[in-house]
């Protein structure tokens, strides 16, 4: 049916041309029908409404013209299906993928998630999440691919978008934009009842340089839709903000897909429908037929402008092939698989960050001292401790990004399974170790074994920020007590974002495994036993204390304006995350980009590592150096290059601009070749409203983390006239 009607209406193969052809044939009612969602079914845990398919968002098809229905579903890191729990893969979260620093891992994750969406009959995935973390305790940091640095989202967002869309479905970049806090964001479901959401006030330059680049990259990768966010921007609801939706997204970035609202994020201020918003979700609170008729009557909106919104929706639908195939997939299908479980495991293992691995002297042989990990064959008795190790494992965040796992391999189960493959399996004992009595019992048990693995962790949720970055309950006391009792203590931390580790220097080893998904335990054991080299690197700075970056109340969570509405002002500009630490000379607990391998790497290169060392405006430069594996094990390193601008550019002391992931065999070396583009040497010019390359002397510094950059060189960018490069 769809093929036939396609032939009847649009001979052109160009999706935009086909969309224009079709949109011209829509009646006003049909156009309006496309411009809003039609059900709340899958958005809540309320009773399913099966006649509508029960997806998170639903827009019925238009049979007369062969337009298929839009079946949209959460979320950014896997298919959320509360009505069929356990039928989709609970993947490592977006932040875990950020910790891989690996675009090819991001692509595999996107392809696999998209496959499950397609098999579930959804043709729009409400993800990926791309926001750059301004606030360390932001409750949705676990969902986002950018960590605290736009360059991560720029590298990882496009392969995820391409991976999802390679399945013939549409990806949604969210939440656009400056959606930096969950506290006071307004109710997800009924904002009018809860007053105005926080207004995020950032300068144009801050918006473009710090928060826009991942969205810009997703647009360049062809993302079909963009979800505008709950917050207000400079006082205007994000979903009604003409500057960021029309001027920035549609005009400057040339986005040709559609903007859908977050759920109930369309506020009356945006109701005129003349702004950049194309589709109100999940119901027509403002985008109703009478509202559109009135807007046309009053001359606020033309019929042509409505048709243009329909074209924006139809274009990605054509591009995804939705008109060229019969709808397929089935919401009740079980779409997880052994292959996806294996992929979830390897992604989680590759996102695991080893923060510390101290040598411990063996009592039997005081002369020898070896790092406590990987777990060796000589370990005979292991204590696994902590509720998070088995009783209440922490493997995913909560809210619309949550996926009900078919099962969870707990850390204890993963360690037990791997232990059986040891030449002589160790004896393993487990204690939940809750409360102060539990802490004391754990310390006693730890003292009696060869190795203690203490697992702690917390999750977080959409709709609320974390009150503190500290671990909850007695978990800090537990690790401290166990580490005091047992020199061979391995602390494992499941974290939904930055986390405080006050005992880190007391534990022999510290591992962070984020929100690792259903295969968490297997992935953890893969790393603890050395089957996989720990190649995750920190996508967030780990601070020494809460609010170490000294955000004022006016910055976060904001202060009330004269109308009693909350306003959060970005006076810190671009000094978030490691940029704050650099600018203020503060040493974080663990720096952005940090992570150990089981081997050791050395950096060397021709002098200078940048060539040419002087370029005219409009040109970039190459970076080349070598990473040598100085140890006896094969390993993976993530060399990173940071650029320091000339002072007149008013940039932070340094900015991540390029990185790679290299597999290096023991004793071998890998050549690393990176490229700095003119854009990497540019700033956002608010007068020209575009990127302008900066003239002057740059420094390029490369190394294994933001705080260890052994190689550096200067790069002179010549000429005085800025060059337009967008
Ligand atoms: C979230 C979105 C989600 C939507 C539908 C909102 O509360 O912010 O990310 O896609 O709900 O569930």
């Amino acid at each position: 049916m769809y093929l036939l009607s396609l032939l009847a209406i649009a001979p052109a193969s160009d999706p935009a041309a086909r969309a224009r052809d079709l949109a011209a044939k829509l009646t006003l009612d049909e156009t309006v029908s496309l411009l809003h969602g039609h059900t709340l079914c899958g958005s809540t845990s309320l009773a399913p409404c099966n006649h509508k398919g029960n997806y998170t968002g639903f827009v019925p098809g238009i049979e007369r013209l062969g337009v298929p229905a839009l079946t949209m579903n959460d979320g950014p890191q896997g298919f959320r299906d509360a009505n069929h729990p356990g039928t989709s893969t609970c993947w490592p979260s977006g932040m875990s993928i950020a910790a891989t620093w690996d675009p090819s891992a991001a692509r595999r994750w996107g392809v696999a998630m998209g496959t499950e969406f397609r098999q579930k009959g959804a043709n729009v995935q409400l993800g990926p999440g791309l926001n750059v973390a301004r606030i360390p305790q932001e409750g949705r940091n676990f969902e986002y691919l950018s960590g605290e640095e736009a360059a991560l989202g720029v590298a990882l967002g496009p392969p995820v978008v391409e991976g999802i869309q390679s399945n013939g479905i549409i990806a949604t970049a969210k939440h656009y934009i400056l959606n930096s806090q969950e506290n006071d964001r307004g109710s997800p479901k009924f904002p009018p009842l809860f007053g105005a959401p926080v207004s995020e006030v950032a300068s144009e330059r801050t918006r473009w340089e710090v928060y826009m680049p991942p969205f810009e990259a997703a647009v360049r990768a062809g993302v079909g839709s963009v979800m505008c966010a709950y917050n207000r921007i400079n006082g205007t609801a994000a979903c009604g903000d003409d500057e960021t939706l029309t001027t920035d997204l549609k005009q400057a970035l040339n986005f040709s897909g559609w903007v859908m609202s977050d759920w109930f994020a369309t506020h009356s201020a945006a109701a005129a429908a003349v702004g950049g918003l194309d589709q109100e979700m999940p119901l027509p609170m403002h985008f109703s037929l009478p509202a559109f008729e009135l807007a046309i009557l009053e001359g606020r909106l033309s019929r042509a402008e409505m048709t243009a919104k329909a074209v924006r929706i139809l274009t990605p639908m054509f591009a995804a092939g939705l008109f060229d195939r019969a709808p397929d997939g089935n919401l009740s299908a079980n779409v997880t698989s052994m292959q996806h479980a294996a992929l979830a495991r390897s992604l989680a293992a590759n996102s695991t960050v080893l923060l510390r691995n101290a040598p411990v002297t063996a009592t039997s042989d005081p002369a020898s001292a070896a790092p406590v990990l990987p777990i060796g064959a000589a370990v005979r008795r292991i204590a696994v401790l902590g509720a998070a190790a088995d009783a209440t494992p922490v493997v995913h965040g909560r809210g619309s990004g949550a996926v009900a796992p078919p099962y969870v391999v707990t850390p204890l189960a993963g360690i037990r399974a791997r232990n059986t493959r040891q030449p002589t399996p160790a004896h393993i004992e487990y204690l939940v170790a809750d409360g102060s009595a539990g802490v004391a019992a754990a310390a006693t048990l730890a003292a009696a074994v060869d190795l203690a693995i203490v697992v702690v962790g917390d999750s977080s949720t959409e709709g609320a920020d974390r009150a503190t970055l500290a671990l909850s309950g007695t978990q800090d006391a537990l690790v401290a007590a166990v580490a005091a009792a047992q020199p061979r203590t391995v602390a494992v931390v499941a974290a939904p974002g930055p986390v405080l580790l006050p005992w880190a220097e007391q534990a022999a080893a510290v591992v962070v495994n984020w929100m690792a998904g259903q295969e968490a335990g297997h992935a953890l054991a893969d790393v603890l036993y050395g089957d996989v080299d720990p190649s995750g690197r920190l996508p967030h700075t780990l601070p020494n204390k809460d609010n170490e970056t000294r955000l004022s109340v006016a910055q976060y969570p904001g202060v009330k304006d004269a109308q009693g509405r909350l306003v959060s002002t970005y006076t810190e500009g671009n000094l978030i995350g490691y940029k704050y630490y650099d600018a203020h000379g503060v040493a974080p607990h663990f720096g952005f980009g940090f992570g150990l391998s089981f081997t050791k790497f050395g950096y060397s290169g021709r002098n200078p590592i940048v060539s040419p060392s002087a370029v005219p405006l409009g040109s970039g430069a190459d970076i080349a150096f070598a990473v040598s594996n100085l140890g006896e094990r094969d390993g993976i390193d993530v060399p990173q290059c940071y650029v320091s601008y000339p002072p007149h550019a008013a940039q932070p002391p340094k900015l991540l601009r390029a990185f790679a992931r290299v597999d290096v065999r023991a004793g071998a070396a890998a050549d690393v070749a990176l490229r700095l583009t003119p854009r990497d040497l540019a700033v956002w010019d608010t007068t020209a409203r575009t990127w302008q390359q900066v003239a002057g002397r740059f420094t390029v510094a490369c190394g294994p983390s933001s705080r260890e950059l052994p190689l550096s060189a200067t790069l002179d960018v010549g000429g005085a006239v800025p060059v337009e490069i967008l």
Side-chain angles (χ1 to χ4, degrees):
M1 177 188 84
Y2 289 91
L3 266 177
L4 289 180
S5 43
L6 160 75
L7 292 175
I9 59 168
S13 60
D14 167 14
R18 291 172 75 182
R20 281 194 300 273
D21 251 18
L22 177 52
K25 298 184 166 65
L26 296 171
T27 65
L28 181 66
D29 289 32
E30 287 166 344
T31 306
V32 172
S33 168
L34 275 181
L35 304 190
H36 64 79
H38 291 248
T39 171
L40 238 192
C41 292
S43 315
T44 69
S45 48
L46 300 176
C49 9
N50 289 323
H51 62 292
K52 295 273 174 68
N54 204 31
Y55 293 94
T56 311
F58 183 78
V59 178
I62 302 167
E63 210 168 334
R64 182 179 80 84
L65 295 169
V67 180
L70 280 174
T71 46
M72 309 170 166
N73 217 81
D74 285 319
Q77 52 213 5
F79 194 92
R80 175 168 75 99
D81 188 355
N83 294 309
H84 307 95
T87 57
S88 51
T89 306
C90 175
W91 299 98
S93 81
M95 185 189 55
S96 294
I97 302 305
T100 67
W101 292 57
D102 184 357
S104 70
R107 168 171 266 280
R108 289 194 293 278
W109 185 69
V111 170
M113 289 191 300
T115 306
E116 296 196 1
F117 274 69
R118 174 87 185 257
Q119 290 170 348
K120 283 279 195 182
N123 51 31
V124 179
Q125 177 168 355
L126 301 175
L130 295 174
N131 297 64
V132 176
R134 173 179 184 239
I135 309 296
Q137 63 268 42
E138 210 267 358
R140 294 184 97 167
N141 277 341
F142 73 88
E143 292 186 33
Y144 294 128
L145 279 170
S146 303
E148 68 182 32
E149 165 56 80
L152 275 183
V154 168
L156 302 176
V160 173
V161 166
E162 288 158 9
I164 291 170
Q165 296 194 156
S166 69
N167 291 283
I169 68 167
I170 298 164
T172 309
K174 70 185 192 183
H175 303 88
Y176 185 83
I177 194 158
L178 303 179
N179 186 205
S180 300
Q181 63 189 67
E182 288 298 298
N183 283 356
D184 305 298
R185 72 171 198 179
S187 159
K189 302 307 172 199
F190 302 105
L193 301 181
F194 289 81
V198 60
S199 177
E200 311 271 348
V201 178
S203 72
E204 182 189 316
R205 186 170 169 194
T206 298
R207 179 170 85 240
W208 273 95
E209 291 188 2
V210 184
Y211 299 98
M212 290 284 279
F215 289 92
E216 180 183 0
V219 168
R220 283 186 197 205
V223 74
S225 67
V226 168
M227 185 188 285
C228 54
Y230 284 124
N231 52 288
R232 291 180 297 143
I233 298 170
N234 299 329
T236 306
C239 289
D241 186 44
D242 229 29
E243 183 174 1
T244 51
L245 294 179
T246 307
T247 314
D248 292 354
L249 184 62
K250 293 184 173 177
Q251 291 169 359
L253 297 184
N254 213 10
F255 174 57
S256 61
W258 86 96
V259 176
M260 74 166 78
S261 74
D262 200 338
W263 267 229
F264 295 104
T266 310
H267 294 262
S268 51
V274 290
L277 182 64
D278 300 307
Q279 188 180 55
E280 179 182 17
M281 294 304 294
L283 290 171
M285 313 290 279
H286 303 286
F287 275 30
S288 63
L289 185 59
F292 278 115
E293 283 171 337
L294 187 65
I296 291 175
L297 198 69
E298 292 178 352
R300 284 182 283 118
L301 183 74
S302 68
R303 185 73 172 77
E305 285 169 309
M306 289 182 65
T307 303
K309 290 176 189 296
V311 171
R312 287 184 167 277
I313 297 169
L314 293 168
T315 302
M317 292 175 70
F318 275 111
L322 303 187
F323 285 85
D324 305 332
R325 63 174 194 256
D328 50 9
N330 174 358
L331 191 52
S332 56
N334 185 342
V335 297
T336 186
S337 63
M338 304 260 286
Q339 289 84 344
H340 283 186
L343 177 60
R345 174 179 183 160
S346 83
L347 292 170
N350 287 325
S351 72
T352 302
V353 180
L354 178 66
L355 291 176
R356 182 174 156 86
N357 193 17
V360 182
T361 311
T363 27
S364 53
D365 179 7
S368 79
V372 71
L373 291 177
I375 297 171
V379 174
R380 290 280 166 271
R381 287 190 71 191
I382 299 177
V384 178
L385 306 161
D390 196 54
T392 49
V394 183
V395 302
H396 63 79
R398 301 189 304 272
S400 62
V403 176
Y407 59 83
V408 172
V409 179
T410 68
L412 176 65
I415 291 163
R416 278 199 196 285
R418 178 59 181 79
N419 175 55
T420 59
R421 292 182 14 228
Q422 288 294 81
T424 314
H427 173 74
I428 296 182
E429 285 177 59
Y430 174 60
L431 267 190
V432 176
D434 249 354
S436 45
V439 168
T444 307
L445 177 59
V449 295
D450 303 327
L451 177 82
I453 303 173
V454 53
V455 184
V456 288
D458 284 310
S459 183
S460 69
T461 183
E462 172 182 345
D465 294 333
R466 296 151 70 197
T468 168
L469 302 180
L471 289 163
S472 61
T474 46
Q475 298 190 96
D476 280 335
L478 174 65
V479 188
V482 170
Q486 169 56 257
R488 276 188 193 71
T489 288
V490 178
V492 177
V493 189
V499 60
L500 303 182
L501 309 172
W503 34 256
E505 285 68 31
Q506 276 94 63
V510 181
V511 169
V512 180
N513 72 339
W514 313 111
M515 296 288 107
Q518 68 188 44
E519 284 285 327
H522 283 146
L524 176 66
D526 289 342
V527 172
L528 296 184
Y529 284 84
D531 304 333
V532 172
D533 193 47
S535 59
R537 300 293 183 263
L538 290 177
H540 290 274
T541 301
L542 298 193
N544 299 287
K545 56 182 186 187
D546 275 325
N547 197 22
E548 193 163 37
T549 58
R550 300 174 68 85
L551 287 172
S552 67
V553 176
Q555 289 168 319
Y556 172 79
V559 289
K560 298 221 161 128
D561 65 11
Q563 287 82 44
R565 301 186 306 181
L566 200 67
V567 179
S568 159
T569 312
Y570 290 42
T571 34
E572 76 286 354
N574 48 19
L575 297 183
I576 61 166
Y578 69 89
K579 300 160 199 166
Y580 172 91
Y581 288 82
D582 286 348
H584 292 269
V586 177
H589 198 174
F590 293 98
F592 175 76
F594 178 71
L596 298 169
S597 152
F598 287 142
T599 186
K600 284 202 175 4
F601 295 104
Y603 279 64
S604 61
R606 64 167 184 239
N607 195 8
I609 56 166
V610 175
S611 75
S613 54
V615 295
L617 278 164
S619 301
D622 290 316
I623 307 174
F625 55 90
V627 173
S628 310
N629 183 339
L630 308 174
E632 278 150 28
R633 304 174 62 94
D634 299 346
I636 300 168
D637 192 30
V638 182
Q640 304 157 33
C641 294
Y642 295 78
V643 162
S644 302
Y645 281 62
H648 67 87
Q651 287 284 50
K654 66 174 188 275
L655 290 162
L656 177 68
R657 284 299 191 239
F659 59 89
R661 209 181 124 91
V662 288
D663 247 291
V664 200
R665 304 201 80 82
D671 288 329
V672 179
L674 298 167
R675 173 94 192 139
L676 287 175
T677 65
R679 167 68 185 271
D680 293 326
L681 308 166
V683 295
W684 179 259
D685 183 319
T686 48
T687 313
R689 284 194 68 92
T690 190
W691 295 96
Q692 303 284 1
Q693 192 174 7
V694 173
R697 172 158 290 188
F698 288 78
T699 305
V700 180
C702 303
S705 93
S706 67
R707 300 192 67 82
E708 194 186 346
L709 300 167
L711 301 178
S712 77
T714 56
L715 171 63
D716 288 327
V717 178
V721 190
V723 173
E724 188 167 315
I725 55 163
L726 187 73

